[in-house]
Amino acid sequence: MTVARTICLGFMAVIAVGTILLMMPFSTSNGTWNNLIVALFTSTSAVCVTGLSVVDPGTYFSFWGQFFIALLAQIGGLGYMTTTTFLILLLGRKFDMRQKIAIQQALDRPGMSGSAQVIRSIIATTLIFEITGVFLLLPAFVPEYGWSKGMWLAIFHSINAWNNAGFSLFKDNLIGYQSSFLVVFTITMLIIFGGIGYQVILEMYLWLRDRISKKTHNQIFSLDFKVATSTTLILLLLGLVAFFCIEIRNPETFGSLNLRDRILVAWFQSVTPRTAGFNTIDIGKMTTAGLFITIALMFLGASPGGTGGGMKTTTVRVLTSCTKAILQGKEEVLLYDRKIAISLILKAVGVLVGSVAAVILATILISLTDPTLDFIQILFEVVSAFATVGLSTGITASISTAAKLILIVTMYVGRVGVLLLMSAVLGDPRPTRIHYPEENLLVG
C-alpha cells in the first residue's frame, strides 16, 4: 500500500470510529441512538477540522458527544500520521522508513531526518497554545457559567480555535461575544498561529530565543517563513479593510455597532475565513459582496504545516509570482531572490486546477439535488466545506440528505488534499527519462 493510500485510509478510519462513537446513546443529550447521517456528518466535519454542523452541538450532544467532537478535531488538526507516530513514540517503539516517508508527506517536509523530534515539537506547541487559550478564555466564561461549565467551554473552544475547526457550544456561535476584546483576541490568535504552520512558529521561537539571549548571529528565516507570514499579514489586513468598508452600511451586521465593535467584528471576520469557522455576526445577513470576499478568503486558506485548509498561502504566492514573471517578461519565477523550481510551480498549478474542479463539481451536484437554494448560498457552503472552514449562511441543517453526503465527500477531499487523494487513487507518480520535442501553443 502506498503512503498516500495509508494517509487517506487513516482519515477514513478515524471518521468511521468517530461516527460510531457519536451514534451511541451516551453521546446525545436525550440518551437515544443518534441519526447515522448526523453522526457521519459531524464526525467528518470534526476530523476534517471544518466545523459545519447539521445540529446545534451545544444542545444536541451530551458532554461525551462534545468530548468526542473535540477529540476528533484534535486528531484531525494534528493529522492522522502525526497522531499515530506520537502514540508509537509513547509506547517507546521506533518507526521504520515507511513511516518516516509518511510523516514527510503528511507534514510536507523537505527531508526525513529528525522526524521524532518534529512530532514532539508539534505536540508540545499544540499543548502550550491550547492551554494558554484555556486560561485566557476562563475570565470570559467562568463568571457567567460557573467553574465546571466555564472550564469546559474554555477547553472546547480553545481546541477548536487552535485546530481551526470552528465548532461552538453556543447557539449563536460567538455572536454574543462580538464586543469582548478578550474572546476576540484569544480566538483569533489561536486561529492565526494554528493555521500558519508549525515550522513558522518554530522559527519565531528560535528568533525570540536568540534575541533574549542576545546572540550575535542573526536568525536566517526560511522562504516558507517569509512567504507564510507576509501573505498571512497581507490577507488579514486586506480582509479587515474590505469587510469594514463593505459591511459598515449593513444594519444587520456592522451598521448598528459602535466604531470599536465594528473594528473587532471586521478583524474577526477577516481572520475566521482562513479556515476557522467561528463567527461573531450572522453570516446569512451579510451583503453579497461580503459573502463573495469571504468565499475568496476561504478558498485561499491557511499555510502548509498548520491546521487549516484551502489552497494555502504558499500556493497563492507561487501562482501570483508566476503571473508577475510573465508580465515582466522573465523566464524564471522568483520569491525573495530565490528561484522557484518548476516542480513546485507545476504542483501549485495542479492544486489550483484540482481545487477549482472539486468546487465546481460539488456546486453543480448540490444545485441539482437542491434546486431551490440560491447559487451564492450553495457556492459558499461548498467552498466552506472544501477549504475546511465551517462558516455557513444557515442552510446546512435544511439541505437534503444527498447534499449532505456531497458535503461530506467535499470536506474529506479538502482535508486530505486533492493531489494526495489523486496519488492514492492513481498510485505514486513514476519519473520518466523520455523527453518529447518542444512546440509553441497559443495561450491567453
Side-chain angles (χ1 to χ4, degrees):
M1 184 182 294
T2 64
V3 172
R5 287 175 185 169
T6 301
I7 296 173
C8 291
L9 290 176
F11 273 105
M12 284 187 179
V14 176
I15 290 172
V17 172
T19 302
I20 294 172
L21 290 173
L22 291 176
M23 282 186 65
M24 296 297 171
F26 53 76
S27 292
T28 59
S29 57
N30 58 11
T32 60
W33 286 88
N34 196 359
N35 179 276
L36 174 61
I37 297 298
V38 172
L40 177 60
F41 193 99
T42 307
S43 177
T44 305
S45 184
V47 174
C48 297
V49 290
T50 305
L52 285 175
S53 182
V54 293
V55 294
D56 175 24
T59 56
Y60 186 87
F61 290 103
S62 64
F63 166 78
W64 286 110
Q66 296 168 10
F67 174 81
F68 293 141
I69 291 173
L71 180 63
L72 293 171
Q74 187 74 83
I75 295 172
L78 289 172
Y80 163 73
M81 285 309 305
T82 303
T83 306
T84 303
T85 306
F86 179 66
L87 293 176
I88 292 174
L89 291 174
L90 282 179
L91 295 174
R93 298 179 183 178
K94 294 182 179 180
F95 41 91
D96 54 22
M97 183 63 67
R98 184 185 185 84
Q99 289 168 322
K100 290 182 179 180
I101 295 173
I103 295 169
Q104 179 194 8
Q105 290 193 9
L107 300 179
D108 201 15
R109 298 185 69 232
M112 293 181 290
S113 60
S115 297
Q117 186 60 39
V118 170
I119 297 299
R120 292 190 184 97
S121 299
I122 290 174
I123 299 297
T125 303
T126 299
L127 291 176
I128 290 170
F129 273 91
E130 288 182 350
I131 292 173
T132 303
V134 170
F135 280 106
L136 289 175
L137 290 174
L138 283 176
F141 297 148
V142 169
E144 186 175 355
Y145 296 98
W147 270 104
S148 58
K149 187 175 181 180
M151 175 68 77
W152 173 237
L153 287 171
I155 293 172
F156 187 90
H157 287 85
S158 181
I159 291 174
N160 275 271
W162 169 258
N163 291 290
N164 281 218
F167 281 100
S168 177
L169 298 182
F170 303 112
K171 286 186 177 181
D172 60 353
N173 207 283
L174 295 178
I175 295 178
Y177 294 92
Q178 63 180 194
S179 301
S180 172
F181 178 83
L182 179 62
V183 173
V184 169
F185 171 79
T186 304
I187 296 295
T188 53
M189 287 301 104
L190 287 171
I191 292 169
I192 292 170
F193 281 102
I196 205 169
Y198 298 104
Q199 182 63 34
V200 173
I201 295 175
L202 177 61
E203 291 191 40
M204 285 182 182
Y205 164 74
L206 294 175
W207 179 80
L208 286 173
R209 187 191 64 182
D210 291 345
R211 285 280 180 172
I212 294 172
S213 60
K214 297 181 180 180
K215 290 187 177 180
T216 55
H217 72 277
N218 294 323
Q219 170 74 23
I220 300 176
F221 293 114
S222 66
L223 184 60
D224 281 319
F225 178 93
K226 294 176 182 177
V227 172
T229 52
S230 61
T231 308
T232 298
L233 287 173
I234 291 170
L235 291 175
L236 289 175
L237 291 175
L238 286 177
L240 171 64
V241 174
F243 285 120
F244 186 87
C245 294
I246 289 174
E247 294 292 328
I248 195 170
R249 294 174 181 263
N250 186 350
E252 296 184 294
T253 54
F254 289 20
S256 59
L257 304 175
N258 57 43
L259 180 60
R260 173 188 175 276
D261 291 349
R262 286 176 180 175
I263 295 174
L264 281 178
V265 171
W267 165 250
F268 196 94
Q269 191 57 32
S270 177
V271 174
T272 194
R274 309 297 307 289
T275 81
F278 290 109
N279 59 281
T280 55
I281 57 172
D282 189 342
I283 302 297
K285 294 179 180 178
M286 290 179 68
T287 61
T288 303
L291 289 175
F292 199 78
I293 290 174
T294 306
I295 289 172
L297 290 174
M298 290 193 298
F299 189 71
L300 296 180
S303 300
T307 57
M311 273 208 321
K312 304 298 173 63
T313 54
T314 49
T315 304
V316 175
R317 285 297 293 274
V318 169
L319 293 172
T320 53
S321 296
C322 286
T323 305
K324 180 181 177 182
I326 293 170
L327 294 175
Q328 293 178 340
K330 295 180 179 179
E331 295 183 356
E332 294 181 345
V333 178
L334 301 177
L335 264 174
Y336 293 99
D337 298 325
R338 293 293 185 270
K339 179 182 176 181
I340 305 300
I342 295 296
S343 59
L344 289 179
I345 297 173
L346 294 176
K347 184 177 180 180
V349 173
V351 170
L352 174 63
V353 174
S355 300
V356 171
V359 169
I360 290 175
L361 179 60
T363 303
I364 292 173
L365 292 176
I366 294 181
S367 298
L368 293 173
T369 59
D370 296 59
T372 58
L373 294 176
D374 292 336
F375 171 75
I376 191 71
Q377 290 180 313
I378 298 174
L379 181 62
F380 192 98
E381 204 81 5
V382 168
V383 174
S384 179
F386 177 79
T388 68
V389 179
L391 292 175
S392 175
T393 56
I395 66 171
T396 314
S398 60
I399 59 177
S400 64
T401 301
K404 290 173 184 173
L405 293 174
I406 294 169
L407 286 181
I408 287 172
V409 175
T410 305
M411 287 188 287
Y412 176 77
V413 173
R415 181 63 184 93
V416 300
V418 176
L419 297 185
L420 186 67
L421 184 61
M422 292 301 295
S423 179
V425 175
L426 302 177
D428 292 332
R430 297 181 180 179
T432 178
R433 294 185 178 181
I434 301 175
H435 298 280
Y436 295 92
E438 186 177 298
E439 187 171 344
N440 288 329
L441 180 69
L442 297 176
V443 176

